[in-house]
Amino acid sequence: MAEDMEKTAGQPTKKPAKKKEKKENRIGKFFRDLKSELKKITWYSAHDTIQNSIWTVVALAVLTVLIGGVNWAFSSIIALIGG
């Protein structure tokens, strides 16, 4: 072991050479992989998407009214108290 250290003590170690892909190849591979992965997704139908969007807007409207009502109630109470 001491002999191994003596041989390499003053010499810089070489790192193994890495293969560098060209930037164009990496970008192309990314988009090919992306296309392949997008084909694996089970997409919702247009009807389901529209229905879920409508439910989301309705829920948003209801929550907006509720939060606005609570805000108005608390503001009124604070105004009555004299704040």
Side-chain angles (χ1 to χ4, degrees):
M1 187 163 154
E3 295 170 1
D4 292 337
M5 291 185 117
E6 288 175 10
K7 290 180 184 177
T8 60
Q11 301 171 359
T13 57
K14 291 184 179 180
K15 294 182 180 178
K18 293 183 180 179
K19 276 190 169 180
K20 287 190 175 182
E21 289 186 49
K22 290 184 180 179
K23 197 171 206 173
E24 298 84 26
N25 290 343
R26 292 186 305 196
I27 293 171
K29 182 180 183 313
F30 170 78
F31 283 109
R32 283 191 301 275
D33 291 345
L34 178 66
K35 183 178 177 182
S36 171
E37 291 298 322
L38 287 175
K39 287 181 181 179
K40 296 177 185 178
I41 297 173
T42 304
W43 297 97
Y44 287 110
S45 68
H47 178 265
D48 288 340
T49 303
I50 291 170
Q51 188 175 10
N52 288 336
S53 298
I54 291 170
W55 278 113
T56 301
V57 170
V58 168
L60 178 65
V62 168
L63 287 174
T64 300
V65 169
L66 286 174
I67 292 172
V70 169
N71 185 32
W72 175 79
F74 283 138
S75 296
S76 297
I77 291 170
I78 295 296
L80 285 175
I81 293 174

